[in-house]
Amino acid sequence: MAILNILRYPDPRLHKVATPVTVFDAKLEKLVADMAETMYDAPGIGLAASQVDVHEQLVVIDISETKDALVAYINPEIIWASEEKQVYDEGCLSVPGIYDGVERHAQIKVRALDVKGQPFEVEADGLLAVCIQHEMDHLLGKVFVEYLSPLKRNRIKAKLVKEERGMAREAQLRAAGRRF
């Protein structure tokens, strides 16, 4: 297994729409395992393949306290959503350190395939429903900050770009220091 690089907002690759998975093989199983390891290491409760620059319809989720209830949702689709909505404070591994309220369906029913290509359905509410909807947004090229006001979104973008520049500059200085 390997820790994968998580794309950071506002990376334009986060806006690429994922395509359906068509091949269920050892390569897909390895991707699921690598995504799970990456998610747990981050640490997070969900990760979409789009966030690791693999633009296929695949998400991994584990909302358990013990981190032993991983589920891979391949080619997921919401087949029912409640009219009732709820607001949850969401965060994202691609938008580190930022949390804000997003309104989503309170209950959903999802149809997906497992890593072997077998279909399954899940009814979800609470945190699981929020997490599934959040990760499925990534497959459509949407990041949760796009639900926020343009002012908030621009502040977040500016903050993350500044942090990225600072990290790049630190890396340059460390590299330069090793040369002497």
Side-chain angles (χ1 to χ4, degrees):
M1 292 192 299
I3 303 291
L4 305 172
N5 182 47
I6 297 173
L7 300 176
R8 285 176 54 117
Y9 181 80
D11 191 308
R13 294 173 290 180
L14 288 168
H15 299 294
K16 190 172 180 181
V17 175
T19 59
V21 172
T22 57
V23 178
F24 295 81
D25 59 5
K27 183 179 173 188
L28 178 65
E29 290 180 18
K30 181 177 180 345
L31 176 59
V32 168
D34 290 347
M35 286 176 58
E37 184 175 5
T38 302
M39 176 188 72
Y40 291 133
D41 182 69
I45 60 171
L47 184 68
S50 299
Q51 292 176 270
V52 294
D53 204 19
V54 176
H55 301 282
E56 295 182 1
Q57 294 178 9
L58 163 63
V59 302
V60 294
I61 294 174
D62 184 349
I63 62 167
S64 72
E65 293 289 326
T66 53
K67 303 299 176 207
D68 61 356
L70 182 76
V71 178
Y73 297 81
I74 300 169
N75 302 338
E77 60 178 316
I78 295 174
I79 56 175
W80 175 83
S82 67
E83 289 184 28
E84 179 189 351
K85 303 277 182 117
Q86 63 186 3
V87 176
Y88 260 81
D89 257 3
E90 294 185 25
C92 181
L93 297 177
S94 292
V95 192
I98 305 296
Y99 300 89
D100 212 319
V102 176
E103 184 179 68
R104 299 198 184 266
H105 296 284
Q107 298 174 307
I108 58 172
K109 187 172 186 178
V110 177
R111 179 181 301 134
L113 302 173
D114 67 17
V115 75
K116 300 291 187 192
Q118 296 302 307
F120 68 96
E121 292 183 0
V122 172
E123 292 183 22
D125 60 9
L127 181 58
L128 181 58
V130 170
C131 192
I132 291 171
Q133 291 172 85
H134 174 108
E135 298 307 333
M136 287 181 67
D137 274 354
H138 281 296
L139 303 180
L140 299 172
K142 190 168 187 176
V143 180
F144 92 96
V145 295
E146 293 171 41
Y147 288 98
L148 308 178
S149 72
L151 177 63
K152 278 187 178 180
R153 194 170 46 249
N154 287 334
R155 284 183 177 164
I156 290 166
K157 186 183 290 186
K159 177 184 182 210
L160 293 176
V161 166
K162 184 178 178 181
E163 285 176 8
E164 192 74 28
R165 282 191 201 126
M167 289 188 302
R169 181 71 180 136
E170 284 179 31
Q172 287 175 336
L173 291 174
R174 278 194 304 273
R178 289 189 202 127
R179 290 189 200 134
F180 296 108

